[in-house]
Amino acid sequence: MSDDERKPYDSDDGEGGKSDLKVSYTYWDRKVKDVPAAHATIAPVRLESQVEAKHDPNQGSAWNTAGTWEERNITSHMKRRLEETLVGLDVEFAHGDLRTSELSKCDGEASVCFVRGKKRLGYEFQLKVKVDGTVIQADGETRVCGYVSLEDVSDHSGGDYDVTVTVEGSRPADGLCKSSLTAFVPRLKQHIQKVVEETKNAC
């Protein structure tokens, strides 16, 4: 379309004069409805709210809707729970008092994996629990100290950990302490398994 066609013009009346008829094109002057003014305030809409409302944390992250591989490191969480659970336990001891006083070693790592919508906990630790107490004998009380070391505390060991019990000293009181710690091992394993089950449900 030429410039002359876009501009209004006066037609000739055939006698050299100009007609009063005005002709113009209004195609480019159409109005578009429902367009907000430039100064209007548009409230933001949080689209992810619908995703969050339907998301099950046991199926992985909200972004991982396809259920592909996802892994989270939960080492610090599990180490903290092991220490909270294994320290302060009373050891059954007929000759005095024994109690776990410290988790002197807690090496390893833990993670939770989501594969095709299924959650799996993986972990592997080496633990050493310190035990302090008193042995009461006819000649008086004797302070004793011992350790329970647990190797291969992992998701693939089936609870069959490598366990070593040691005591500081070779006195008769130390022998009594070692016997009690050996008998205490199954209970210690139960507490470790408790942490494992809690972690599976919490992460």
Side-chain angles (χ1 to χ4, degrees), residues 7 78 91 103 107 119 124 128 138 147 151 171 179:
K7 298 178 180 179
M78 196 162 180
V91 180
L103 185 58
D107 297 336
K119 181 170 64 174
E124 185 170 1
K128 190 174 185 179
Y147 297 89
E151 302 292 329
R171 301 163 299 179
S179 297

Side-chain angles (χ1 to χ4, degrees), residues 4 45 93-94 122:
D4 291 338
V45 178
F93 188 43

Side-chain angles (χ1 to χ4, degrees), residues 72-126:
R72 298 177 189 166
N73 189 311
I74 56 170
T75 301
S76 59
H77 169 81
M78 196 162 180
K79 283 185 175 182
R80 176 172 54 82
R81 288 298 299 131
L82 285 168
E83 184 172 12
E84 293 173 348
T85 304
L86 301 182
V87 176
L89 298 175
D90 290 322
V91 180
E92 186 174 346
F93 188 43
H95 305 281
D97 297 309
L98 291 176
R99 174 175 292 190
T100 59
S101 59
E102 180 185 350
L103 185 58
S104 55
K105 179 181 178 182
C106 185
D107 297 336
E109 58 185 8
S111 63
V112 59
C113 300
F114 297 88
V115 185
R116 297 180 180 178
K118 294 183 179 181
K119 181 170 64 174
R120 186 179 74 84
L121 175 65
Y123 60 94
E124 185 170 1
F125 289 98
Q126 294 80 45

Side-chain angles (χ1 to χ4, degrees), residues 25-188:
Y25 289 89
T26 59
Y27 177 84
W28 304 104
D29 193 36
R30 293 186 304 172
K31 295 182 179 180
V32 180
K33 297 180 180 181
D34 302 326
V35 176
H39 63 276
T41 300
I42 303 176
V45 178
R46 191 182 182 196
L47 300 178
E48 59 266 38
S49 60
Q50 295 181 355
V51 176
E52 292 174 354
K54 299 178 181 179
H55 174 58
D56 181 359
N58 289 322
Q59 300 299 318
S61 300
W63 57 264
N64 192 13
T65 55
T68 55
W69 176 275
E70 179 185 349
E71 183 175 2
R72 298 177 189 166
N73 189 311
I74 56 170
T75 301
S76 59
H77 169 81
M78 196 162 180
K79 283 185 175 182
R80 176 172 54 82
R81 288 298 299 131
L82 285 168
E83 184 172 12
E84 293 173 348
T85 304
L86 301 182
V87 176
L89 298 175
D90 290 322
V91 180
E92 186 174 346
F93 188 43
H95 305 281
D97 297 309
L98 291 176
R99 174 175 292 190
T100 59
S101 59
E102 180 185 350
L103 185 58
S104 55
K105 179 181 178 182
C106 185
D107 297 336
E109 58 185 8
S111 63
V112 59
C113 300
F114 297 88
V115 185
R116 297 180 180 178
K118 294 183 179 181
K119 181 170 64 174
R120 186 179 74 84
L121 175 65
Y123 60 94
E124 185 170 1
F125 289 98
Q126 294 80 45
L127 308 176
K128 190 174 185 179
V129 181
K130 182 180 180 180
V131 179
D132 287 306
T134 303
V135 175
I136 302 175
Q137 296 176 298
D139 56 350
E141 296 183 356
T142 304
R143 295 293 299 174
V144 292
C145 178
Y147 297 89
V148 180
S149 299
L150 303 102
E151 302 292 329
D152 194 27
V153 179
S154 64
D155 59 290
H156 50 76
S157 65
D160 187 18
Y161 314 142
D162 295 328
V163 181
T164 303
V165 176
T166 58
V167 292
E168 294 181 351
S170 56
R171 301 163 299 179
D174 297 316
L176 294 173
C177 175
K178 185 173 183 179
S179 297
S180 294
L181 291 185
T182 302
F184 175 66
V185 169
R187 184 178 166 211
L188 198 59

